[in-house]
Amino acid sequence: MDAVIKACGGWPRAWTRLAFADLRDGGGARLCELLGFGRAAAFVWRTVTMKLRIVPLVTAAVGASAMLSAAAQCPDYTTFSQSPQGNPSAGPLALPFMRPDPACRTFSSTAVEKVIDDMKARLKDPDLARLFENAFPNTLDTTVKYFNASENLAFIITGDITAQWLRDTANQFAHYHTLLSIDKELSTLVKAVINNEARYVAQYPYCGAFQPPPESGLAPSHNDWADGVTVNPPVNNQTVFECKYELDSLCGFLKLSRSYFQATNDTSFLNDNWFSAIDQIFRVIWEQSQSTFDDDFNLVSFYNWTGGNGALSPAVPNAGNGEPRFYTGLVGTHHRPSDDLSTFAFLVPANAMLSVELSHLADVLDSANKAQNISQLARNYSSTIKDAIWKTSLVNNIFAYEINGFGGRYVMDDANVPSLLSLPYLGFLEKTHPAYVATRKLLLSRKNPYYSAGKNFSGVGGPHVDAWNPWPMSQISAIYGTDDDEDILNSLYLIANNTHGLGLIHESIDIYDGTYTRPWFAWANSYFAEMLLDLAQRKPGLIFKDNTPYSPGQ
């Protein structure tokens, strides 16, 4: 029975007593369609039965209405996540259990379940334990919309938006990194994500959010915010969900690739799709490093995005090319990790992440003994970008968020990672570096235009929502940026106390009335769980019943 459910796409197991007639010769595929899973699930059924040689035999039958009723027991998680579910935790916050029923989870991992059990047994605060229990598996529980191992393809949504963001996906899987070596199916899923993204990047390297792969049979989503937007080079909206150029999206693809290799030492992901994507990434790096004008004042434009005409972001100035920039060694971007329009093109934290990930890319290629020319190019760019950050963005020991190469600098921060606050998390510098310490102090104060504080919550937000809606994500980054116990606990409980009683990490919190945006935001849940696992290693006594460090998968 489990094979049938898994073959149909991992959905309801409520019919565990269901007995089928012999489902060979396409019967299983017909059942998948009958149950409302559609042709994509039928295709998966055929693939899995062929691969596993499943011959499901049964002795009884159940009416189609009963099967459809079972399928209906899986609610949409956007709705599910907006009201308390399950039994409350034993702590003062009484946080609900917010995982879907096992029959409704989109992917299962025994390794993930063990980490949850381990952490629950060790965490001294039952409310934090419940938050971890809800957050750690959220990506696997809710966002795996399609996975076919034989095709080496997987489609992962970001939560309440049915599209795959390169950036979000990398962050949604970051906290499973150490489990890939012990959970073969989980590592196979991640490799399939990488391969699907490689196809996206190879075709549309300037785009950051994508539609389901055609093999899935899933229908593309219509993005109202993309209506009326002109993108050059042009894109196909049956493949692309949104084509805002965000440098960190390419960094996310690199991060997911190297973290997979670091965990598994498997080089099979280094296929033609992947190398085609890498070639396109280096093309974008070169193109977006150039000045707006050449020496003869010819306009240098490789990509533009008009915005306006109903798009969420405003119209981009200068015919969609953004504010003018002058060569610095940094790589320009049109939009920030928040999907908001950049003020100045050279986004410092995105370049910091790029420098780090290019160095990792070179290490992967060297370890795999492949593409030494690409490895050397990656190291050269990594060094150039790193030097440019220190040379052009740091004034009086304070990093700018964005610069333009003409001397213009914007001192602020946005909650979305990569951010200045997250520089230690990114691996760009140590949290004790004087420039980071000084910058962090400024960012968590009124001197940052997007820092705000209310009676119950404070932090860094951004223009994506508004200036008085700081994001819990910023407090997670703040925890990564300090070893001070008091600061860590303050940030930790600002997050825990502001889930609106729902036990999930939301996008932003209104400092005036405590309302939140986005009930289902998988990236934020993953980042929170990743942070607790980091504390489990470097500050175990702060959150555990004893001072014994804990590392998943070891």
Side-chain angles (χ1 to χ4, degrees):
M1 182 61 213
D2 282 347
V4 175
I5 303 309
K6 186 174 181 180
C8 283
W11 285 98
R13 293 194 180 95
W15 350 286
T16 52
R17 297 180 183 176
L18 193 60
F20 303 110
D22 189 338
L23 296 178
R24 288 173 291 181
D25 301 321
R30 288 194 297 273
L31 174 65
C32 290
E33 294 192 61
L34 176 64
L35 292 176
F37 295 108
R39 277 181 259 174
F43 177 81
V44 177
W45 164 266
R46 294 188 185 98
T47 302
V48 174
T49 52
M50 289 173 60
K51 182 178 180 183
L52 301 181
R53 297 177 183 173
I54 297 169
V55 184
L57 298 173
V58 294
T59 57
V62 194
S65 60
M67 301 176 197
L68 293 172
S69 175
Q73 294 175 7
C74 291
D76 175 74
Y77 195 75
T78 302
T79 303
F80 182 90
S81 61
Q82 293 183 58
S83 59
Q85 311 288 335
N87 295 322
S89 58
L93 297 178
L95 297 177
F97 179 76
M98 298 297 287
R99 297 186 67 183
D101 185 273
C104 299
R105 296 171 190 169
T106 59
F107 190 92
S108 296
S109 164
T110 54
V112 166
E113 298 302 327
K114 184 180 185 303
V115 174
I116 294 170
D117 291 342
D118 289 346
M119 288 289 284
K120 285 171 61 181
R122 288 167 168 79
L123 286 162
K124 57 188 174 184
D125 184 338
D127 291 327
L128 290 182
R130 175 53 55 80
L131 267 178
F132 184 85
E133 183 179 18
N134 291 337
F136 184 68
N138 189 250
T139 288
L140 298 183
D141 280 356
T142 66
T143 70
V144 184
K145 293 289 284 186
Y146 179 75
F147 170 44
N148 189 305
S150 64
E151 293 175 339
N152 194 23
L153 292 174
F155 180 68
I156 311 298
I157 62 173
T158 183
D160 53 8
I161 304 174
T162 308
Q164 181 164 327
W165 262 262
L166 301 178
R167 168 189 55 254
D168 287 50
T169 303
N171 290 302
Q172 284 170 238
F173 279 90
H175 60 316
Y176 301 135
H177 170 81
T178 58
L179 303 180
L180 301 186
S181 62
I182 62 173
D183 188 328
K184 177 62 177 175
E185 190 170 5
L186 181 58
S187 67
T188 302
L189 171 65
V190 173
K191 187 171 77 167
V193 174
I194 293 169
N195 187 54
N196 189 38
E197 291 193 346
R199 299 198 317 182
Y200 292 145
V201 174
Q203 187 174 10
Y204 295 113
Y206 278 106
C207 304
F210 296 89
Q211 304 280 12
E215 294 87 347
S216 70
L218 298 172
S221 299
H222 178 73
N223 181 8
D224 292 338
W225 299 114
D227 291 344
V229 175
T230 300
V231 180
N232 284 303
V235 301
N236 180 351
N237 286 331
Q238 296 298 298
T239 301
V240 174
F241 181 81
E242 185 170 72
C243 197
K244 293 176 179 175
Y245 163 53
E246 299 155 353
L247 177 60
D248 67 288
S249 292
L250 299 177
C251 297
F253 173 72
L254 295 176
K255 176 181 176 179
L256 188 63
S257 298
R258 62 89 172 172
S259 64
Y260 173 83
F261 177 79
Q262 289 172 337
T264 65
N265 286 317
D266 174 26
T267 61
S268 64
F269 74 98
L270 300 172
N271 57 21
D272 290 344
N273 289 336
W274 189 84
F275 277 109
S276 294
I278 295 300
D279 287 345
Q280 291 302 307
I281 288 173
F282 279 107
R283 175 172 75 86
V284 170
I285 288 173
W286 183 84
E287 290 176 353
Q288 294 304 317
S289 299
Q290 307 306 307
S291 300
T292 298
F293 299 105
D294 68 12
D295 291 344
D296 296 319
F297 279 94
N298 296 302
L299 177 67
V300 178
S301 178
F302 298 97
Y303 162 93
N304 60 68
W305 186 95
T306 62
N309 298 322
L312 181 60
S313 288
V316 179
N318 298 307
N321 289 285
E323 286 293 316
R325 62 185 185 226
F326 190 76
Y327 178 83
T328 61
L330 299 179
V331 182
T333 187
H334 278 233
H335 286 83
R336 299 170 176 171
S338 61
D339 296 331
D340 299 305
L341 182 64
S342 298
T343 299
F344 295 140
F346 298 125
L347 181 62
V348 173
N351 275 271
M353 184 178 184
L354 180 60
S355 175
V356 170
E357 294 306 330
L358 288 174
S359 180
H360 284 306
L361 171 63
D363 290 342
V364 168
L365 294 174
D366 289 348
S367 296
N369 196 27
K370 291 180 181 291
Q372 295 304 301
N373 58 328
I374 298 177
S375 168
Q376 189 57 54
L377 183 63
R379 292 198 191 281
N380 291 344
Y381 267 123
S382 175
S383 178
T384 296
I385 293 165
K386 183 177 181 179
D387 290 346
I389 289 173
W390 289 103
K391 180 180 178 180
T392 64
S393 74
L394 193 68
V395 174
N396 296 326
N397 238 17
I398 302 295
F399 287 106
Y401 183 69
E402 293 168 345
I403 65 170
N404 63 7
F406 296 104
R409 57 198 311 268
Y410 192 0
V411 177
M412 60 156 283
D413 204 17
D414 188 288
N416 286 258
V417 178
S419 61
L420 292 177
L421 205 55
S422 68
L423 288 177
Y425 168 78
L426 299 175
F428 183 74
L429 46 60
E430 295 296 324
K431 63 177 72 73
T432 55
H433 193 287
Y436 176 74
V437 173
T439 302
R440 181 182 185 276
K441 182 179 179 180
L442 180 148
L443 298 178
L444 296 174
S445 76
R446 286 180 176 270
K447 292 183 179 180
N448 174 6
Y450 282 99
Y451 173 84
S452 61
K455 181 179 179 181
N456 296 313
F457 192 68
S458 63
V460 179
H464 192 71
V465 181
D466 52 48
W468 50 92
N469 265 66
W471 294 37
M473 192 178 288
S474 70
Q475 291 294 349
I476 298 172
S477 296
I479 290 172
Y480 274 106
T482 184
D483 283 320
D484 184 272
D485 290 357
E486 185 177 347
D487 284 351
I488 291 171
L489 289 175
N490 180 63
S491 291
L492 188 57
Y493 280 97
L494 277 174
I495 299 166
N497 292 334
N498 285 279
T499 71
H500 212 72
L502 294 172
L504 294 167
I505 312 303
H506 297 131
E507 179 186 57
S508 70
I509 310 294
D510 190 303
I511 62 171
Y512 302 122
D513 60 16
T515 55
Y516 65 90
T517 58
R518 294 194 71 178
W520 176 21
F521 188 23
W523 174 13
N525 287 307
S526 294
Y527 196 31
F528 176 83
E530 186 181 8
M531 174 270 295
L532 272 188
L533 289 174
D534 175 67
L535 292 180
Q537 296 178 53
R538 68 180 174 104
K539 291 281 186 179
L542 205 59
I543 59 173
F544 284 170
K545 298 169 185 175
D546 58 37
N547 200 35
T548 305
Y550 173 72
S551 298
Q554 299 179 10

PDB file of all heavy atoms in Angstrom, residues 9 48 52 73 128 145 172 182 206 243 289 359 406 414 423 476 481 508 524 554:
ATOM      1  N   GLY A   9       2.289   9.977  -5.598  1.00  0.00           N
ATOM      2  CA  GLY A   9       2.771  11.322  -5.279  1.00  0.00           C
ATOM      3  C   GLY A   9       2.912  11.566  -3.798  1.00  0.00           C
ATOM      4  O   GLY A   9       3.053  12.693  -3.354  1.00  0.00           O
ATOM      5  N   VAL A  48       7.486   4.505 -11.151  1.00  0.00           N
ATOM      6  CA  VAL A  48       7.884   3.803  -9.935  1.00  0.00           C
ATOM      7  C   VAL A  48       7.631   2.306 -10.039  1.00  0.00           C
ATOM      8  O   VAL A  48       8.441   1.489  -9.631  1.00  0.00           O
ATOM      9  CB  VAL A  48       7.156   4.400  -8.711  1.00  0.00           C
ATOM     10  CG1 VAL A  48       7.444   3.577  -7.467  1.00  0.00           C
ATOM     11  CG2 VAL A  48       7.593   5.837  -8.496  1.00  0.00           C
ATOM     12  N   LEU A  52      10.550  -0.213  -9.528  1.00  0.00           N
ATOM     13  CA  LEU A  52      10.533  -1.098  -8.362  1.00  0.00           C
ATOM     14  C   LEU A  52       9.900  -2.448  -8.654  1.00  0.00           C
ATOM     15  O   LEU A  52       9.895  -3.319  -7.798  1.00  0.00           O
ATOM     16  CB  LEU A  52       9.782  -0.406  -7.214  1.00  0.00           C
ATOM     17  CG  LEU A  52      10.346   0.925  -6.745  1.00  0.00           C
ATOM     18  CD1 LEU A  52       9.501   1.459  -5.610  1.00  0.00           C
ATOM     19  CD2 LEU A  52      11.787   0.785  -6.323  1.00  0.00           C
ATOM     20  N   GLN A  73      -9.218  14.622   2.772  1.00  0.00           N
ATOM     21  CA  GLN A  73      -8.815  14.835   4.160  1.00  0.00           C
ATOM     22  C   GLN A  73      -7.530  15.640   4.273  1.00  0.00           C
ATOM     23  O   GLN A  73      -7.143  16.023   5.364  1.00  0.00           O
ATOM     24  CB  GLN A  73      -8.653  13.485   4.868  1.00  0.00           C
ATOM     25  CG  GLN A  73      -9.955  12.720   5.030  1.00  0.00           C
ATOM     26  CD  GLN A  73      -9.748  11.344   5.634  1.00  0.00           C
ATOM     27  OE1 GLN A  73      -8.644  11.011   6.050  1.00  0.00           O
ATOM     28  NE2 GLN A  73     -10.796  10.553   5.674  1.00  0.00           N
ATOM     29  N   LEU A 128      10.160  25.858  22.657  1.00  0.00           N
ATOM     30  CA  LEU A 128      11.188  25.814  21.618  1.00  0.00           C
ATOM     31  C   LEU A 128      11.217  24.449  20.942  1.00  0.00           C
ATOM     32  O   LEU A 128      11.423  24.351  19.726  1.00  0.00           O
ATOM     33  CB  LEU A 128      12.567  26.140  22.204  1.00  0.00           C
ATOM     34  CG  LEU A 128      12.818  27.583  22.643  1.00  0.00           C
ATOM     35  CD1 LEU A 128      14.251  27.734  23.142  1.00  0.00           C
ATOM     36  CD2 LEU A 128      12.546  28.571  21.509  1.00  0.00           C
ATOM     37  N   LYS A 145       6.453  19.339  -4.383  1.00  0.00           N
ATOM     38  CA  LYS A 145       5.296  19.190  -5.269  1.00  0.00           C
ATOM     39  C   LYS A 145       5.497  18.095  -6.319  1.00  0.00           C
ATOM     40  O   LYS A 145       4.524  17.543  -6.835  1.00  0.00           O
ATOM     41  CB  LYS A 145       4.997  20.519  -5.974  1.00  0.00           C
ATOM     42  CG  LYS A 145       4.528  21.621  -5.051  1.00  0.00           C
ATOM     43  CD  LYS A 145       3.118  21.364  -4.537  1.00  0.00           C
ATOM     44  CE  LYS A 145       2.073  21.655  -5.586  1.00  0.00           C
ATOM     45  NZ  LYS A 145       0.695  21.541  -5.058  1.00  0.00           N
ATOM     46  N   GLN A 172      15.783  26.480   1.971  1.00  0.00           N
ATOM     47  CA  GLN A 172      14.833  25.520   2.528  1.00  0.00           C
ATOM     48  C   GLN A 172      15.490  24.177   2.837  1.00  0.00           C
ATOM     49  O   GLN A 172      15.041  23.448   3.726  1.00  0.00           O
ATOM     50  CB  GLN A 172      13.671  25.299   1.541  1.00  0.00           C
ATOM     51  CG  GLN A 172      12.667  26.441   1.504  1.00  0.00           C
ATOM     52  CD  GLN A 172      11.681  26.303   0.359  1.00  0.00           C
ATOM     53  OE1 GLN A 172      11.573  27.185  -0.490  1.00  0.00           O
ATOM     54  NE2 GLN A 172      10.956  25.197   0.307  1.00  0.00           N
ATOM     55  N   ILE A 182      23.471  10.039   5.175  1.00  0.00           N
ATOM     56  CA  ILE A 182      22.868   8.873   5.842  1.00  0.00           C
ATOM     57  C   ILE A 182      21.452   8.587   5.362  1.00  0.00           C
ATOM     58  O   ILE A 182      20.873   7.578   5.752  1.00  0.00           O
ATOM     59  CB  ILE A 182      22.868   9.049   7.380  1.00  0.00           C
ATOM     60  CG1 ILE A 182      22.034  10.262   7.790  1.00  0.00           C
ATOM     61  CG2 ILE A 182      24.283   9.151   7.916  1.00  0.00           C
ATOM     62  CD1 ILE A 182      21.854  10.396   9.289  1.00  0.00           C
ATOM     63  N   TYR A 206      19.030  34.855 -15.834  1.00  0.00           N
ATOM     64  CA  TYR A 206      18.651  36.100 -15.173  1.00  0.00           C
ATOM     65  C   TYR A 206      17.358  35.973 -14.360  1.00  0.00           C
ATOM     66  O   TYR A 206      16.946  36.922 -13.706  1.00  0.00           O
ATOM     67  CB  TYR A 206      18.493  37.219 -16.203  1.00  0.00           C
ATOM     68  CG  TYR A 206      19.807  37.864 -16.597  1.00  0.00           C
ATOM     69  CD1 TYR A 206      20.397  37.620 -17.838  1.00  0.00           C
ATOM     70  CD2 TYR A 206      20.466  38.716 -15.719  1.00  0.00           C
ATOM     71  CE1 TYR A 206      21.595  38.206 -18.191  1.00  0.00           C
ATOM     72  CE2 TYR A 206      21.664  39.317 -16.063  1.00  0.00           C
ATOM     73  CZ  TYR A 206      22.231  39.062 -17.295  1.00  0.00           C
ATOM     74  OH  TYR A 206      23.427  39.645 -17.638  1.00  0.00           O
ATOM     75  N   CYS A 243      10.904  36.859 -13.640  1.00  0.00           N
ATOM     76  CA  CYS A 243      12.280  37.054 -14.106  1.00  0.00           C
ATOM     77  C   CYS A 243      12.885  38.354 -13.603  1.00  0.00           C
ATOM     78  O   CYS A 243      13.435  39.137 -14.367  1.00  0.00           O
ATOM     79  CB  CYS A 243      12.370  36.987 -15.634  1.00  0.00           C
ATOM     80  SG  CYS A 243      14.082  36.720 -16.181  1.00  0.00           S
ATOM     81  N   SER A 289      29.162  42.930 -14.199  1.00  0.00           N
ATOM     82  CA  SER A 289      30.285  43.650 -13.589  1.00  0.00           C
ATOM     83  C   SER A 289      30.599  44.939 -14.339  1.00  0.00           C
ATOM     84  O   SER A 289      31.337  45.794 -13.832  1.00  0.00           O
ATOM     85  CB  SER A 289      31.544  42.767 -13.589  1.00  0.00           C
ATOM     86  OG  SER A 289      31.361  41.600 -12.845  1.00  0.00           O
ATOM     87  N   SER A 359      34.359  30.480  -4.212  1.00  0.00           N
ATOM     88  CA  SER A 359      35.480  29.763  -3.595  1.00  0.00           C
ATOM     89  C   SER A 359      35.112  28.301  -3.336  1.00  0.00           C
ATOM     90  O   SER A 359      35.909  27.389  -3.603  1.00  0.00           O
ATOM     91  CB  SER A 359      35.881  30.459  -2.293  1.00  0.00           C
ATOM     92  OG  SER A 359      36.959  29.787  -1.671  1.00  0.00           O
ATOM     93  N   PHE A 406      30.217  55.209  -7.994  1.00  0.00           N
ATOM     94  CA  PHE A 406      30.494  56.645  -8.154  1.00  0.00           C
ATOM     95  C   PHE A 406      30.732  57.325  -6.814  1.00  0.00           C
ATOM     96  O   PHE A 406      30.912  58.536  -6.763  1.00  0.00           O
ATOM     97  CB  PHE A 406      29.322  57.335  -8.857  1.00  0.00           C
ATOM     98  CG  PHE A 406      29.083  56.877 -10.264  1.00  0.00           C
ATOM     99  CD1 PHE A 406      28.026  56.028 -10.575  1.00  0.00           C
ATOM    100  CD2 PHE A 406      29.901  57.292 -11.304  1.00  0.00           C
ATOM    101  CE1 PHE A 406      27.794  55.606 -11.871  1.00  0.00           C
ATOM    102  CE2 PHE A 406      29.673  56.878 -12.609  1.00  0.00           C
ATOM    103  CZ  PHE A 406      28.618  56.029 -12.897  1.00  0.00           C
ATOM    104  N   ASP A 414      18.350  44.869   4.856  1.00  0.00           N
ATOM    105  CA  ASP A 414      17.068  44.222   4.619  1.00  0.00           C
ATOM    106  C   ASP A 414      17.127  42.871   5.304  1.00  0.00           C
ATOM    107  O   ASP A 414      18.184  42.250   5.374  1.00  0.00           O
ATOM    108  CB  ASP A 414      16.838  44.078   3.109  1.00  0.00           C
ATOM    109  CG  ASP A 414      15.444  43.589   2.767  1.00  0.00           C
ATOM    110  OD1 ASP A 414      15.166  42.389   3.011  1.00  0.00           O
ATOM    111  OD2 ASP A 414      14.642  44.377   2.247  1.00  0.00           O
ATOM    112  N   LEU A 423      26.286  38.298   7.405  1.00  0.00           N
ATOM    113  CA  LEU A 423      27.624  38.080   6.852  1.00  0.00           C
ATOM    114  C   LEU A 423      28.376  36.925   7.521  1.00  0.00           C
ATOM    115  O   LEU A 423      29.018  36.120   6.823  1.00  0.00           O
ATOM    116  CB  LEU A 423      28.450  39.364   6.909  1.00  0.00           C
ATOM    117  CG  LEU A 423      28.055  40.477   5.934  1.00  0.00           C
ATOM    118  CD1 LEU A 423      28.907  41.720   6.154  1.00  0.00           C
ATOM    119  CD2 LEU A 423      28.163  40.010   4.482  1.00  0.00           C
ATOM    120  N   ILE A 476      16.979  35.882  13.507  1.00  0.00           N
ATOM    121  CA  ILE A 476      17.759  34.652  13.322  1.00  0.00           C
ATOM    122  C   ILE A 476      19.176  35.011  12.881  1.00  0.00           C
ATOM    123  O   ILE A 476      20.164  34.489  13.412  1.00  0.00           O
ATOM    124  CB  ILE A 476      17.075  33.734  12.295  1.00  0.00           C
ATOM    125  CG1 ILE A 476      15.692  33.317  12.788  1.00  0.00           C
ATOM    126  CG2 ILE A 476      17.946  32.503  12.022  1.00  0.00           C
ATOM    127  CD1 ILE A 476      14.855  32.560  11.755  1.00  0.00           C
ATOM    128  N   GLY A 481      25.122  36.174  14.467  1.00  0.00           N
ATOM    129  CA  GLY A 481      26.142  37.217  14.511  1.00  0.00           C
ATOM    130  C   GLY A 481      26.665  37.554  15.892  1.00  0.00           C
ATOM    131  O   GLY A 481      27.332  38.582  16.043  1.00  0.00           O
ATOM    132  N   SER A 508       6.790  38.473   8.417  1.00  0.00           N
ATOM    133  CA  SER A 508       7.006  39.729   9.131  1.00  0.00           C
ATOM    134  C   SER A 508       5.950  39.900  10.222  1.00  0.00           C
ATOM    135  O   SER A 508       4.895  39.267  10.179  1.00  0.00           O
ATOM    136  CB  SER A 508       6.955  40.920   8.168  1.00  0.00           C
ATOM    137  OG  SER A 508       5.631  41.140   7.698  1.00  0.00           O
ATOM    138  N   ALA A 524      11.648  30.603   6.082  1.00  0.00           N
ATOM    139  CA  ALA A 524      11.787  31.110   7.451  1.00  0.00           C
ATOM    140  C   ALA A 524      11.782  29.969   8.462  1.00  0.00           C
ATOM    141  O   ALA A 524      12.545  29.991   9.451  1.00  0.00           O
ATOM    142  CB  ALA A 524      10.662  32.102   7.750  1.00  0.00           C
ATOM    143  N   GLN A 554      25.522  12.593  13.146  1.00  0.00           N
ATOM    144  CA  GLN A 554      26.829  12.161  13.664  1.00  0.00           C
ATOM    145  C   GLN A 554      26.662  11.350  14.948  1.00  0.00           C
ATOM    146  O   GLN A 554      25.696  11.475  15.641  1.00  0.00           O
ATOM    147  CB  GLN A 554      27.715  13.374  13.919  1.00  0.00           C
ATOM    148  CG  GLN A 554      27.987  14.193  12.654  1.00  0.00           C
ATOM    149  CD  GLN A 554      28.851  15.406  12.914  1.00  0.00           C
ATOM    150  OE1 GLN A 554      29.410  15.578  13.993  1.00  0.00           O
ATOM    151  NE2 GLN A 554      28.953  16.271  11.915  1.00  0.00           N
TER     152      GLN A 554
END
